[in-house]
Amino acid sequence: MSFAPSSPDDRFVLVTEVGTRDGFQSETRLVPTEVKADLINRLIEAGVRSIEATSFVSPRAVPQMADAAEVMALIERKSGVRLTTLVPNARGAERAAAAKVDMMACFVSASETHCQANLNKPIDAALADFAEFAPIAHKYGIGLRGAVATAFGCPFEGDVKMGNVLKIVEAYMRHGARHITLGDTTGMATPPVVTRTVEAIRARFPEAVIALHFHNTRGIGLANVMNGLALGVREYESSFAGLGGCPFAPGATGNICTEDLVYLLHVCGCETGIDLDALAVVARDVQQLMERDLPGQYIKAGPRLKLTSIEGVRRAVG
Ligand code: ZN
């Protein structure tokens, strides 16, 4: 499959960095507040325009995100940079509004079993929570994003019902969330499943702005991005150095890697506004911080045209 943007307007792709939320949340160790804020500030400096910074969930349920307000307060805000946080309910929405977030994101799983396991409530109850907090976002003039988790498959139920996906998107749209993220929470997306899902949503809700959140659990994360680009999707979510995990596939990688994604987009002629070298420095620091090898490939190999001297290279035969 090949892809090339057809016009300058078509060239810009919005990359949302989710490392400090999705990535750090799946780590057992707690990352200091100042370190999180420093990473976010350096991402902004590197040209990242959209960041899912943290989450206003219950600190008891998710201790990694207990410092959400403090992280937000330490970020050097810049116009044109969108800071999104997760919000599960009205209480979280008030905290997010006080922290002056640009966008609140709600998460509901398309799989009833996953929704119960993750949010401890059925889909309808999770949507009722959203209906309750959406007016709070509107009141403060804050953007709303509706995320559909396990949109491309569930480890408990297998393929999810398209009717569930559409029901969730319908509720989001009805309450003013036109930005829809389809989350490959457990890495089950494939190009055909993504095409089917994006087309079904567009057929019913042509005004929806779709973003794709892929995981690289089975090694086809960037192939899914290529397919998304061919479908005309211009927003992707990813994590620095590929940080993140998959709770239902131990040892598997999590989110697609931001530097690898940006590298792919740039070589395909897309624009992201991101300085890839500066981004790679941040990603290497994240790898150092985690004290282990992370899945990102670009930070290991470096730029494509970083030439190697022929002298001293061990000859490989064949
Ligand atoms: Zn993820």
Side-chain angles (χ1 to χ4, degrees):
M1 190 191 308
S2 69
F3 164 79
S6 56
S7 70
D9 286 350
D10 196 34
R11 214 163 266 174
F12 187 77
V13 176
L14 185 67
V15 173
T16 296
E17 171 62 55
V18 300
T20 55
R21 204 286 300 169
D22 196 332
F24 287 158
Q25 188 172 321
S26 58
E27 295 290 320
T28 40
R29 80 157 80 174
L30 298 179
V31 177
T33 307
E34 314 75 60
V35 175
K36 292 177 182 173
D38 179 59
L39 289 169
I40 292 170
N41 286 331
R42 289 167 60 202
L43 289 168
I44 293 171
E45 201 57 37
V48 178
R49 298 182 191 188
S50 174
I51 299 172
E52 189 175 282
T54 181
S55 174
F56 285 92
V57 283
S58 150
R60 265 196 316 278
V62 188
Q64 294 95 327
M65 298 291 121
D67 58 359
E70 291 82 355
V71 170
M72 285 300 299
L74 289 171
I75 299 173
E76 290 157 28
R77 310 296 287 265
K78 203 167 161 184
S79 76
V81 175
R82 187 174 75 197
L83 296 180
T84 302
T85 62
L86 253 60
V87 165
N89 50 33
R91 189 176 142 60
E94 290 291 355
R95 289 174 61 211
K100 301 208 169 2
V101 306
D102 300 304
M103 190 171 247
M104 300 185 190
C106 176
F107 266 64
V108 177
S109 291
S111 143
E112 201 62 81
T113 318
H114 186 269
C115 199
Q116 194 67 48
N118 200 36
L119 300 176
N120 212 11
K121 57 184 71 167
I123 292 172
D124 285 340
L127 290 177
D129 286 346
F130 174 68
E132 199 186 314
F133 84 68
I136 298 173
H138 297 317
K139 184 173 85 181
Y140 292 102
I142 294 171
L144 270 178
R145 170 172 297 281
V148 185
T150 64
F152 308 113
C154 162
F156 311 118
E157 296 186 6
D159 285 326
V160 296
K161 297 188 189 96
M162 195 67 78
N164 283 5
V165 174
L166 294 173
K167 175 171 89 169
I168 296 167
V169 174
E170 193 278 323
Y172 284 151
M173 302 285 291
R174 183 154 36 91
H175 294 285
R178 210 161 58 87
H179 291 269
I180 303 295
T181 294
L182 301 177
D184 184 21
T185 319
T186 60
M188 292 171 72
T190 67
V193 173
V194 173
T195 300
R196 215 162 40 234
T197 310
V198 168
E199 285 177 349
I201 292 172
R202 282 182 176 159
R204 276 245 340 245
F205 310 102
E207 64 281 33
V209 181
I210 296 176
L212 296 172
H213 175 119
F214 291 126
H215 281 211
N216 198 35
T217 316
R218 291 175 177 81
I220 61 169
L222 291 183
N224 283 324
V225 170
M226 285 305 281
N227 180 51
L229 290 169
L231 289 168
V233 175
R234 294 291 179 269
E235 288 191 31
Y236 296 88
E237 299 181 357
S238 56
S239 176
F240 40 34
L243 187 69
C246 177
F248 306 104
T253 61
N255 301 284
I256 56 168
C257 165
T258 309
E259 319 82 71
D260 296 1
L261 168 66
V262 170
Y263 171 70
L264 174 71
L265 292 170
H266 289 181
V267 295
C268 286
C270 297
E271 283 168 14
T272 62
I274 297 172
D275 175 342
L276 181 53
D277 290 336
L279 177 68
V281 174
V282 178
R284 281 194 197 98
D285 285 352
V286 170
Q287 180 162 260
Q288 209 163 29
L289 179 72
M290 293 297 124
E291 295 179 309
R292 65 174 198 276
D293 196 37
L294 294 178
Q297 294 294 298
Y298 185 84
I299 54 172
K300 300 183 180 82
R304 175 171 165 266
L305 294 178
K306 183 191 79 179
L307 303 182
T308 304
S309 163
I310 191 76
E311 302 303 324
V313 171
R314 229 179 108 241
R315 303 290 154 89
V317 179

